[in-house]
Amino acid sequence: RAEGFWNPVINPSPPPVQPPATPGSPRLAFAPQVQSNRRRLAVLASPLLVIAVGSAAAHVFSGLLGRWAWTGTMLVYWALLIGLVIVLAGRERIGEWFAPSLGSRWWIGLALGAGLLSFPFLFLPNMGLLASISLAALWLGFAPVNAACEELYWRGLLLTETNGASRWIVVLYSSFAFVAMHPLMLGVFATAMALDFTAPGRLAPFAAIVLFQGLVWSVLFLRTGSLRLSILSHALTDLGTLSIFAFMNMVSVPVVR
């Protein structure tokens, strides 16, 4: 195991194998490094693409599907995340990220603590929404699927396929981009996450919680060498926030003044 809080247990993406140089091609030896740098830049730039496409999809489906806009938006969003993971990391990396978790059992406690954070404030006051069996089934199915797709991209891809960049800067970058995705994409149809320039501080508590959880999930991945605990914690969060009910503006959200 690597020592140090930010050092990942998982192996970073291996550099591409350098082919033998041939006479008359002096720059061939630099090609693998150039390809590695280009891939790293593509990974670092990909959150901008994700947010732009997700936001566009949210606007389109809001006009087409009304309160069910989240269904089309999330399908586009998930497909994009998984596509980026496969193209920029490869299918074999996904198997590595789902390996058994390493390290102390205290990480399990951290995962559960972060995942259960929203239950007292959102889940318990809005439990009556689960009376709809069909919506409750969608809510239960949404949580693990969304958690897996998001963790594969926001933690798996961004934190391992950027070797050569500063680890803590990448963690902060991915976490802040993850926070920004919520109002810029989900806030298009979910008023609780929507940007309101007349009350710029309204989303501050929400953003702080999402940032905290993003950092926790990053630490869990880096310190256990697996996405398992991050996905578990993320799925609990999606259950606790009543995700799809919030997307359809059915959740009563506490107002922080």
Side-chain angles (χ1 to χ4, degrees):
R1 290 188 52 174
E3 296 297 331
F5 193 74
W6 295 111
N7 290 335
V9 175
I10 42 83
N11 294 321
S13 178
V17 178
Q18 180 173 331
T22 58
S25 302
R27 285 184 287 183
L28 183 59
F30 296 96
Q33 183 61 41
V34 171
Q35 292 172 2
S36 179
N37 290 338
R38 287 177 177 174
R39 183 174 66 171
R40 181 168 61 248
L41 290 175
V43 171
L44 290 172
S46 63
L48 302 178
L49 174 66
V50 168
I51 292 173
V53 172
S55 179
H59 280 92
V60 170
F61 286 110
S62 290
L64 295 175
L65 303 178
R67 74 170 190 161
W68 291 94
W70 66 272
T71 56
T73 302
M74 296 310 295
L75 288 176
V76 171
Y77 174 61
W78 291 339
L80 179 58
L81 296 187
I82 298 303
L84 287 170
V85 169
I86 292 174
V87 170
L88 296 174
R91 297 175 186 270
E92 65 282 355
R93 296 291 278 171
I94 297 177
E96 295 177 15
W97 299 338
F98 277 94
S101 299
L102 303 175
S104 170
R105 293 183 180 180
W106 287 105
W107 298 121
I108 299 176
L110 179 61
L112 293 176
L116 296 173
L117 189 62
S118 58
F119 274 75
F121 309 104
L122 290 175
F123 179 80
L124 293 179
N126 293 278
M127 283 183 62
L129 295 173
L130 300 180
S132 171
I133 297 177
S134 58
L135 289 180
L138 287 174
W139 165 73
L140 286 173
F142 173 89
V145 174
N146 183 62
C149 290
E150 290 200 318
E151 291 307 304
L152 279 169
Y153 173 76
W154 293 104
R155 258 58 69 177
L157 178 68
L158 290 180
L159 300 188
T160 60
E161 302 306 308
T162 50
N163 52 304
S166 172
R167 180 69 57 188
W168 69 271
I169 289 179
V170 173
V171 167
L172 290 174
Y173 170 67
S174 65
S175 298
F176 275 103
F178 180 65
V179 172
M181 176 274 297
H182 286 76
L184 295 178
M185 184 181 85
L186 302 179
V188 172
F189 45 77
T191 56
M193 306 179 207
L195 288 172
D196 184 355
F197 293 105
T198 63
R202 184 179 69 87
L203 287 181
F206 169 78
I209 293 173
V210 175
L211 177 61
F212 167 75
Q213 290 178 318
L215 292 172
V216 167
W217 297 334
S218 296
V219 170
L220 287 172
F221 176 47
L222 293 175
R223 297 302 292 157
T224 67
S226 172
L227 285 174
R228 292 188 183 189
L229 290 181
S230 300
I231 291 174
L232 170 63
S233 183
H234 196 146
L236 287 173
T237 295
D238 285 341
L239 292 174
T241 56
L242 292 163
S243 52
I244 69 164
F245 296 96
F247 298 161
M248 294 188 287
N249 301 308
M250 300 170 66
V251 173
S252 176
V253 180
V255 177
V256 179
R257 298 186 184 277

